[in-house]
Amino acid sequence: MDKFTTYETAWCPGCGNFSILNSLKTALEELGIRPDEVLMVAGIGQAAKTPQYLSANSFCGLHGRALPAAIAAKISNEKLTVIVNSGDGDSYGEGGNHFIHNIRRNVNIAHFVHDNQIYGLTKGQASPTSDEGLVTGVQTDGNSMSPLNPVLLAIASGAGFVARGFSGDSKQLVSIMKEAILYPGYAFVDILQPCISFNKINTFAYYKNMAAPLGDDYDPTNRLEAIKLSMEVSDKIPTGILYREEKTEFHRKNRLLKEGQPLVEQKRDESVLENLIHSFI
Ligand SMILES: Cc1ncc(C[n+]2csc(CCOP(=O)(O)OP(=O)(O)O)c2C)c(N)n1
Ligand SMILES: [Mg+2]
């Protein structure tokens, strides 16, 4: 089976998740990757349902724990194309620590964060990217915390591929996703996405007005420029590949993995494990 299929979803009509799912499907098909070669990984949330709606291998873990499961799978079987789709809460809140240290580890996976600036599944609590003062049905006095800037954080932490997309610009999103999947290392994409039910401020119209696609003349290899650009979020929000640097990925640095034979195909001597277990009995 070479074509991907999508399934009926439980998302609200008008949710940005639909176009992110469809953009991913298009990106994978245009890259000529087969469904059986893909592992989709997520944590918990509306965004984290994405793996359940695409006909590929999938694993949904605990809230905030998508990255550890994804990199474990990739480390075991380098032949898999491993893609994480999860929310801003999942990736930057509950999974914030994994986010930073995963950048340092640089395993070859793509991480697509559906950033609706809200905890959607649990009906509107502030997420790490919610605007300060945001009032929702359950955050009635307004969010008292200042937002973190995931793109700035990723570049500052040493990520080699950092991009921002918008669910309403699928042409650009498909092209960013293709580059992220092909990038040999950890590729991070923050995707602006409206939550039509619980975030009444950062709407489709808001993002449409704010999103400013980078021009062809932009040079993504200048780290200081990328940092400066990633701090621009109040007048316009730049979208596209903000930073790109070739870095040695995890597999090429590991003695056991760098020869190229995936761990799952390497010969195992079961007696070593049995002897170890028996030494504790
Ligand atoms: C450890 C833990 N804390 C909290 C929850 C409850 N919970 C489930 S999903 C979620 C928020 C999801 O928000 P986000 O990741 O932004 O995804 P969205 O639904 O907005 O797509 C929360 C708080 C949980 N399941 N596990
Ligand atoms: Mg969210």
Side-chain angles (χ1 to χ4, degrees), residues 87-241:
D88 45 317
D90 197 72
S91 301
Y92 311 140
E94 284 77 359
N97 201 22
H98 295 301
F99 178 51
I100 296 167
H101 295 289
N102 172 67
I103 289 172
R104 298 177 48 236
R105 194 167 279 113
N106 197 28
V107 178
N108 183 6
I109 63 169
H111 185 188
F112 300 139
V113 181
H114 304 214
D115 189 355
N116 53 11
Q117 301 187 246
I118 202 85
Y119 281 174
L121 183 82
T122 45
K123 303 188 187 300
Q125 300 86 357
S127 84
T129 51
S130 292
D131 291 338
E132 193 166 346
L134 180 76
V135 175
T136 70
V138 292
Q139 204 85 36
T140 49
D141 287 338
N143 174 29
S144 64
M145 287 159 72
S146 56
L148 70 76
N149 180 329
V151 169
L152 177 62
L153 179 62
I155 300 173
S157 304
F161 185 105
V162 180
R164 193 192 278 120
F166 166 40
S167 63
D169 185 348
S170 48
K171 187 162 175 267
Q172 184 201 46
L173 190 55
V174 168
S175 120
I176 294 175
M177 283 176 159
K178 283 162 72 176
E179 291 293 321
I181 292 166
L182 291 176
Y183 177 77
Y186 172 67
F188 164 66
V189 187
D190 181 73
I191 305 168
L192 306 173
Q193 171 227 344
C195 169
I196 60 138
S197 296
F198 300 109
N199 186 337
K200 306 291 184 191
I201 301 297
N202 308 107
T203 58
F204 182 86
Y206 166 85
Y207 287 129
K208 181 108 185 111
N209 179 43
M210 293 294 278
L214 293 166
D216 289 341
D217 55 342
Y218 175 70
D219 171 16
T221 63
N222 185 328
R223 194 160 180 229
L224 275 181
E225 270 306 309
I227 285 180
K228 229 167 83 187
L229 201 66
S230 68
M231 289 170 77
E232 286 176 19
V233 285
S234 40
D235 296 330
K236 285 280 172 195
I237 309 177
T239 59
I241 300 170

Side-chain angles (χ1 to χ4, degrees), residues 42-44 61-68 86 89-91 93-96 98-99:
I44 303 281
L62 297 172
H63 195 33
R65 305 290 179 258
L67 287 172
S86 241
D90 197 72
S91 301
E94 284 77 359
H98 295 301
F99 178 51

Side-chain angles (χ1 to χ4, degrees), residues 53-72:
Y53 301 147
L54 192 68
S55 58
N57 302 294
S58 67
F59 181 87
C60 289
L62 297 172
H63 195 33
R65 305 290 179 258
L67 287 172
I71 65 167

Side-chain angles (χ1 to χ4, degrees), residues 39-53:
L39 172 67
M40 303 270 298
V41 183
I44 303 281
Q46 290 293 0
K49 294 175 181 174
T50 307
Q52 300 169 32
Y53 301 147

Side-chain angles (χ1 to χ4, degrees), residues 253-271:
K253 288 195 271 192
N254 183 284
R255 183 174 57 83
L256 278 176
L257 300 171
K258 71 177 164 198
E259 273 91 55
Q261 195 184 20
L263 210 54
V264 282
E265 290 173 12
Q266 290 186 19
K267 211 165 142 22
R268 281 190 304 263
D269 182 355
E270 303 288 344
S271 68

